């Protein structure tokens, strides 16, 4: 059986790499006073149609949507933000918790996209949402956090691309300008673009058809249509980023593919030393109407998400993944049935004391057990034979130094504790 196209397995060393990345991101989010939330993988399809917007490619083309047994339309989440906003509206956490609500999340998302380098149909995102405060300092804090996360992972030379798509008035003016610009071309553009032209001409800028990209190259840019307030907000943000020495590049063409964004939008790009370009490693932006659209009060928000697969790939390419630390520390080598009984019990004591302990279940020769211990990269072996059983003792062998010592069974945990815990 093959796995589903666009999905991937994580073997132990890959899963360990993912976990180390996720732990670092979680730790930094926690320092920024964000709290973890978890929302369902399945949601009513309507949530994404209303939340993400039915002019976005993600909703129009890439959702895994099906009817459940009661004929309800359900979708696998193609992104997190809409689900998190639904959660905070349903639970009215905005009424009980201090604003801004600061949440982080982690888990799989699903998009029926064309699989290619860095692009999967099931992939993992880590991200944050800050809801309920409109200060531009909040935007800067969120960008600063994302940037610190990438630096902490060891990714120097990350490119932050940033733009403002303005408030409603700015975008209305911009949409009109885009309609005027595309009017003489639209009959020759792809069918999707024809629909985008009617639904939301901004989305024409996301088109991936080469001829259409060429036409869009000379389209007006949103920056020319910003209201005074939006321009001021954007300039304030850029000034703070410069002051905090967060390098950025204003990308006037950056509009992001989801319909809920307003004002600040940004993406992080990184090309690894191998030259592999996996696409944006993260992106996000400010949103104004999403909470209200989903039945809540009039609260703004800002968030971003990283693609964990893409972070893993660039870190792996650049040899920046932390070493796998989960090596078996102690390998139990019981000789005979009675010894196996003692060994399993002792292994349990060691495990409960925090020592990674593995155990040889088979009735095999000591030499074979040593081979297994070596393969598992054990640091110590505990040998229990008939002689040891009779004397209530075990033999502990340091596999690096090739030295061994006899220790009373009841003092084994103590012996390792005195070594200084789970030393390398
Ligand atoms: P988006 O909200 O679409 O910008 O997605 C946020 C991040 O998720 C992107 O910056 C990527 O790192 C990651 N991502 C998006 N789509 C995919 C995909 N199909 N496969 C892997 N990662 C993805």
């Amino acid at each position: 059986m093959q796995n589903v196209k666009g999905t991937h397995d994580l073997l132990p060393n890959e899963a360990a790499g993912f976990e180390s990345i996720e732990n670092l991101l979680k730790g930094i989010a926690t320092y920024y006073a964000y709290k973890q939330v978890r929302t369902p993988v399945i949601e009513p399809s309507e949530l994404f149609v209303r939340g993400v917007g039915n002019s976005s490619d993600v909703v129009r083309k890439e959702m895994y949507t099906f009817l459940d047994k009661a004929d309800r339309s359900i979708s696998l989440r193609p992104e997190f933000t809409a689900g998190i906003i639904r959660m905070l509206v349903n639970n009215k956490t905005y009424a009980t918790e201090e604003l801004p609500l600061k949440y982080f999340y982690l888990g799989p998302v699903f998009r029926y996209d064309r699989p290619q380098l860095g692009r999967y149909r099931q992939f993992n995102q880590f991200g944050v949402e800050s809801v309920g405060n409109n200060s531009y300092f909040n935007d800067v804090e969120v960008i600063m956090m994302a940037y610190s996360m990438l630096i902490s992972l060891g990714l120097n030379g990350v490119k932050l691309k940033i733009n403002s798509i303005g408030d409603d008035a700015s975008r209305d003016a911009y949409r009109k300008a885009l309609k005027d610009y595309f009017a003489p071309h639209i009959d020759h553009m792809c069918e999707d673009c024809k629909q985008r032209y009617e639904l939301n001409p901004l989305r024409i800028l996301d088109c991936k058809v080469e001829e259409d990209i060429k036409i869009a190259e000379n389209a007006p840019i949103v920056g020319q249509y910003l209201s005074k307030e939006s321009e001021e907000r954007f300039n304030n943000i850029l000034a703070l980023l410069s002051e905090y020495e967060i390098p950025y590049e204003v990308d006037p063409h950056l509009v992001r593919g989801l319909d809920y964004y307003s004002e600040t939008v940004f993406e992080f790009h990184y090309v690894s030393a191998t030259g592999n370009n996996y696409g944006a490693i993260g992106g996000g932006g400010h949103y104004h109407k999403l909470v209200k659209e989903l039945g809540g009060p009039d609260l703004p928000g800002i968030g971003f998400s990283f693609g964990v697969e893409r972070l893993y790939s660039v870190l792996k390419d650049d040899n920046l993944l932390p070493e796998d630390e989960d090596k078996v520390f102690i390998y139990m080598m019981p000789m005979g049935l009675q010894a196996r009984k003692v060994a399993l019990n002792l292994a349990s004591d060691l495990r409960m004391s925090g020592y990674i302990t593995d155990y040889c279940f088979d009735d095999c020769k000591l030499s074979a057990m040593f081979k297994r211990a070596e393969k598992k990269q054990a640091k110590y072996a505990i040998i229990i034979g008939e002689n040891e059983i009779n004397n209530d003792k075990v033999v502990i062998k340091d596999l690096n130094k090739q030295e061994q010592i006899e220790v009373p069974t009841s003092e084994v945990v103590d012996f390792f504790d005195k070594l200084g815990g789970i030393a390398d």
Side-chain angles (χ1 to χ4, degrees):
M1 290 283 276
Q2 284 298 309
N3 54 328
V4 172
K5 190 174 172 189
T7 66
H8 61 100
D9 301 312
L10 292 181
L11 297 176
N13 62 336
E14 294 166 319
F18 268 59
E19 196 171 61
S20 68
I21 295 169
E22 291 163 356
N23 284 343
L24 185 136
L25 301 177
K26 280 184 193 172
I28 296 179
T30 308
Y31 294 147
Y32 273 81
Y34 279 70
K35 296 200 169 109
Q36 184 172 184
V37 289
R38 299 186 188 202
T39 59
V41 168
I42 51 173
E43 295 277 6
S45 304
E46 183 63 16
L47 172 70
F48 303 112
V49 174
R50 277 181 37 199
V52 179
N54 61 359
S55 79
S56 65
D57 274 7
V58 166
V59 170
R60 283 177 57 242
K61 298 203 246 167
E62 296 172 4
M63 283 222 291
Y64 278 88
T65 297
F66 56 93
L67 290 178
D68 72 5
K69 291 186 197 302
D71 276 348
R72 284 174 289 240
S73 179
I74 304 285
S75 294
L76 302 184
R77 63 178 172 220
E79 60 104 56
F80 270 92
T81 307
I84 301 232
I85 302 301
R86 181 203 50 69
M87 176 209 77
L88 67 89
V89 169
N90 288 166
N91 293 280
K92 293 193 170 59
T93 59
Y94 53 81
T96 51
E97 290 176 32
E98 184 62 22
L99 299 182
L101 304 168
K102 291 171 137 192
Y103 298 142
F104 75 83
Y105 60 79
L106 169 74
V109 296
F110 304 83
R111 293 183 190 174
Y112 197 81
D113 206 347
R114 199 160 58 85
Q116 52 191 291
L117 187 73
R119 197 166 289 283
Y120 299 93
R121 290 185 171 166
Q122 174 176 342
F123 59 99
N124 290 278
Q125 287 189 333
F126 174 96
V128 312
E129 304 296 339
S130 166
V131 176
N133 185 292
N134 207 34
S135 163
Y136 67 84
F137 275 87
N138 194 26
D139 291 16
V140 174
E141 187 188 77
V142 165
I143 295 170
M144 187 187 243
M145 167 167 51
Y147 186 69
S148 315
M149 287 171 169
L150 297 173
I151 294 292
S152 300
L153 284 168
L155 296 175
N156 294 305
V158 164
K159 204 179 256 178
L160 162 61
K161 294 187 179 185
I162 188 165
N163 196 20
S164 171
I165 56 168
D167 51 17
D168 286 352
S170 317
R171 278 195 312 288
D172 282 349
Y174 183 47
R175 275 195 202 99
K176 198 173 162 306
L178 285 177
K179 277 205 144 177
D180 290 347
Y181 173 81
F182 284 113
H185 302 286
I186 196 68
D187 285 348
H188 319 291
M189 296 178 78
C190 72
E191 286 310 307
D192 276 339
C193 279
K194 286 183 184 132
Q195 281 187 23
R196 291 170 177 137
Y197 185 81
E198 297 305 330
L199 281 169
N200 182 0
L202 235 102
R203 293 283 76 89
I204 297 179
L205 306 175
D206 305 329
C207 184
K208 295 176 187 101
V209 175
E210 217 164 284
E211 292 78 33
D212 295 352
I213 293 175
K214 277 206 186 99
I215 296 172
E217 264 169 15
N218 296 318
I221 53 169
V222 63
Q224 296 164 323
Y225 297 88
L226 291 188
S227 65
K228 211 168 139 279
E229 294 77 18
S230 290
E231 198 177 351
E232 203 173 290
R233 181 184 179 93
F234 191 41
N235 287 336
N236 283 332
I237 290 169
L238 297 184
L240 275 183
L241 292 177
S242 302
E243 197 167 326
Y244 301 147
E245 294 182 6
I246 298 175
Y248 65 83
E249 180 185 301
V250 175
D251 179 349
H253 296 287
L254 183 70
V255 290
R256 309 261 309 132
L258 312 179
D259 287 352
Y260 50 66
Y261 288 119
S262 65
E263 310 282 2
T264 324
V265 290
F266 55 93
E267 274 180 6
F268 293 97
H269 292 255
Y270 181 85
V271 179
S272 59
T274 54
N276 284 333
N277 188 346
Y278 300 94
I281 48 178
H286 184 275
Y287 44 89
H288 223 101
K289 293 207 278 204
L290 188 55
V291 183
K292 202 155 181 214
E293 178 64 42
L294 298 179
D298 194 3
L299 295 175
I302 177 163
F304 68 80
S305 65
F306 289 131
V308 183
E309 278 74 3
R310 292 190 188 176
L311 287 177
Y312 178 86
S313 299
V314 293
L315 289 167
K316 186 160 191 284
D317 282 0
D318 286 1
N319 277 323
L320 292 168
L321 278 175
E323 285 279 300
D324 176 11
E325 285 167 10
D326 285 350
K327 303 212 170 110
V328 173
F329 183 58
I330 300 163
Y331 196 67
M332 309 291 293
M333 302 180 173
M335 309 287 291
L337 182 62
Q338 195 53 30
R340 274 209 287 283
K341 283 186 187 166
V342 172
L344 194 55
N345 201 29
L346 181 55
S348 169
D349 288 348
L350 285 163
R351 289 160 174 166
M352 291 304 111
S353 302
Y355 298 101
I356 301 170
T357 306
D358 209 350
Y359 176 95
C360 183
F361 297 102
D362 299 323
D363 199 4
C364 53
K365 282 195 182 132
L366 204 54
S367 57
M369 291 192 198
F370 273 114
K371 277 207 182 101
R372 289 184 189 195
E374 197 184 325
K375 262 197 155 165
K376 299 229 175 204
Q377 293 175 296
K379 300 278 190 292
Y380 290 89
I382 296 184
I383 303 146
I384 311 175
E386 215 172 291
N387 197 16
E388 284 79 28
I389 294 279
N390 292 338
N391 297 312
D392 258 345
K393 284 187 173 164
V394 303
V395 171
I396 299 177
K397 181 162 183 180
D398 181 324
L399 295 171
N400 290 330
K401 294 187 189 149
Q402 292 292 319
E403 290 166 3
Q404 62 183 53
I405 172 176
E406 263 194 357
V407 177
T409 313
S410 60
E411 290 171 24
V412 171
V413 172
D414 219 33
F415 170 86
F416 285 104
D417 285 349
K418 285 201 181 113
L419 281 181
I422 308 171
D424 191 31

